[in-house]
């Protein structure tokens, strides 16, 4: 297995920026990017997409309910139930995965998003130290965890 290179990681940062810019007309502030050294504390709503093929691992989007509600309201959505917030974070994870496939090639297989509610620690599954991207949008925190490697 091979570690991701800088350009591969940048595609996730750029994809997050593009998602918010298109959806809200306001780009998020990327607050940090680092290697996680232990369980990562997430937010209440999590969407996880797994990859296989040319890359193995997963990407997780973790956001608080307040941020997701604001996103849904901007899209003129009136159903702000927890189930709809989970659907929204799953769709964001799916969008990032689709953008990754465009950049990383058609050999990248993508799972259906898994949606999880609860802020329990996020455990790395592939890398000992997954890549973590933290951001703020409209004063709300969020994070993206990239826990994947390129097959050799």
């Amino acid at each position: 297995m091979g570690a991701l290179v800088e350009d591969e990681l940048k595609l996730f940062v750029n994809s997050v920026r593009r998602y918010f810019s298109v959806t809200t007309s306001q780009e998020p502030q990327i607050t940090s990017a680092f290697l996680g050294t232990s369980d990562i504390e997430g937010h209440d709503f999590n969407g996880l997409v797994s990859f296989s093929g040319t890359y193995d691992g997963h990407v997780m989007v973790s956001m608080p309910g307040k941020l997701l509600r604001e996103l849904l309201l901007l899209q003129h959505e009136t159903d702000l139930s927890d189930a709809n917030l989970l659907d929204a974070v799953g769709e964001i994870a799916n969008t990032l995965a689709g953008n990754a496939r465009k950049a990383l090639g058609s050999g990248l297989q993508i799972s259906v998003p898994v949606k999880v509610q609860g802020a329990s620690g996020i455990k790395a599954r592939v890398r000992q130290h997954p890549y973590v991207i933290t951001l703020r949008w409209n004063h709300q925190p969020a994070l993206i965890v990239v826990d994947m490697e390129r097959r050799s």
Side-chain angles (χ1 to χ4, degrees), residues 81-98:
S81 66
D82 284 359
N84 211 30
L85 298 180
L86 279 169
D87 285 345
V89 77
E91 185 56 37
I92 294 167
N94 197 45
T95 299
L96 297 183

Side-chain angles (χ1 to χ4, degrees), residues 15 19 23-24 29 34 39 46-47 49 52 54 69-70 79 82 85 92 98 101 108-109 124 139 143 150:
S15 184
Y19 176 84
T23 305
T24 70
Q29 175 190 10
F34 60 92
D39 287 357
N46 306 284
V49 176
S52 61
T54 52
R69 282 184 199 90
E70 289 181 31
D79 179 359
D82 284 359
L85 298 180
I92 294 167
R101 176 188 247 167
L108 183 65
Q109 304 301 313
H139 306 290
L143 60 89
R150 188 178 342 99

Side-chain angles (χ1 to χ4, degrees), residues 22-139:
V22 168
T23 305
T24 70
S25 300
Q26 181 184 345
E27 193 171 292
Q29 175 190 10
I30 305 301
T31 53
S32 67
F34 60 92
L35 290 175
T37 56
S38 60
D39 287 357
I40 300 151
E41 191 61 36
H43 299 284
D44 288 334
F45 295 90
N46 306 284
L48 182 125
V49 176
S50 296
F51 298 103
S52 61
T54 52
Y55 293 78
D56 282 323
H58 65 270
V59 171
M60 190 184 76
V61 176
S62 184
M63 297 180 167
K66 186 173 181 183
L67 186 152
L68 289 164
R69 282 184 199 90
E70 289 181 31
L71 287 175
L72 288 175
L73 288 170
L74 282 171
Q75 297 171 36
H76 308 290
E77 176 61 56
T78 57
D79 179 359
L80 303 178
S81 66
D82 284 359
N84 211 30
L85 298 180
L86 279 169
D87 285 345
V89 77
E91 185 56 37
I92 294 167
N94 197 45
T95 299
L96 297 183
N99 290 339
R101 176 188 247 167
K102 287 178 191 170
L104 300 176
S106 61
L108 183 65
Q109 304 301 313
I110 302 170
S111 75
V112 172
V114 173
K115 301 166 277 188
V116 180
Q117 189 170 358
S120 61
I122 300 161
K123 297 187 183 307
R125 298 177 184 179
V126 175
R127 297 180 46 79
Q128 183 176 0
H129 302 291
Y131 304 102
V132 180
I133 302 160
T134 64
L135 61 102
R136 287 186 104 37
W137 176 82
N138 204 22
H139 306 290

